[in-house]
Amino acid sequence: MARIDFYILPDTTLQARLAFACKLAETIWRKGYRLHLHCEDKVLAEQADKALWSFREDAYLPHALEDSDMASSVPVTLGWQQLPIPVEETALLNLHPEIPDGVERYARIAEIINQHQDVLVAKRACWQRYKELGHEVVPHKLG
């Protein structure tokens, strides 16, 4: 079973959630993992892509959208369709409100919760479902 890390933010905004996702993505990548950011739709994936380019002036995180020609050659991908089959040690950062099919193939899974009501409701359901499936769920309350 996978370990699921839930990062609980005090903020309510999508911008705060994306900013933390960028920092977490950089940390995961620096630890040697490949990473897939799974988004609800292409709009959110494009917002996350833009955030990864600008979250820190002194940082570069090699990444690409899943429909890009570069997606197979970078360690970080952003997608909104079916989860890719992981290669090597791949982590999943789930920004989708639901648990996507195929999460059991990933070594590590991260979820980000902020205090927006829609996110809270969706991620509470995810938390319960992960536990029902027997995964180790670890909360990290931030701020």
Side-chain angles (χ1 to χ4, degrees), residues 24-112:
L24 185 57
E26 181 183 34
T27 299
I28 291 168
W29 173 66
R30 290 202 184 280
K31 287 184 177 183
Y33 286 90
R34 294 182 64 81
L35 175 65
H36 181 72
L37 280 84
H38 186 64
C39 300
E40 185 172 7
D41 53 30
K42 187 172 185 176
V43 171
L44 181 58
E46 289 172 342
Q47 289 173 319
D49 175 54
K50 184 177 178 182
L52 283 169
W53 281 111
S54 60
F55 81 101
R56 267 197 18 228
E57 287 186 24
D58 63 337
Y60 172 67
L61 190 61
H63 68 280
L65 294 170
E66 71 182 2
D67 61 355
S68 164
D69 292 338
M70 294 177 36
S72 63
S73 64
V74 295
V76 179
T77 55
L78 298 98
W80 57 94
Q81 298 176 42
Q82 184 176 352
L83 286 182
I85 295 174
V87 294
E88 303 168 13
E89 283 290 312
T90 304
L92 173 67
L93 176 46
N94 187 28
L95 297 175
H96 195 287
E98 298 174 0
I99 300 171
D101 292 334
V103 295
E104 66 279 351
R105 297 183 297 227
Y106 287 78
R108 297 286 296 269
I109 300 165
E111 297 270 0
I112 301 172

Side-chain angles (χ1 to χ4, degrees), residues 6 20 29 36 90 117 126 136 139:
F6 275 83
F20 183 76
W29 173 66
H36 181 72
T90 304
Q117 191 61 32
C126 290
E136 177 188 5

Side-chain angles (χ1 to χ4, degrees), residues 6 97-99 111 122-131:
F6 275 83
E98 298 174 0
I99 300 171
E111 297 270 0
K123 292 304 168 184
R124 280 185 188 126
C126 290
W127 179 296
Q128 290 301 324
R129 185 68 184 136
Y130 283 129
K131 290 190 73 76

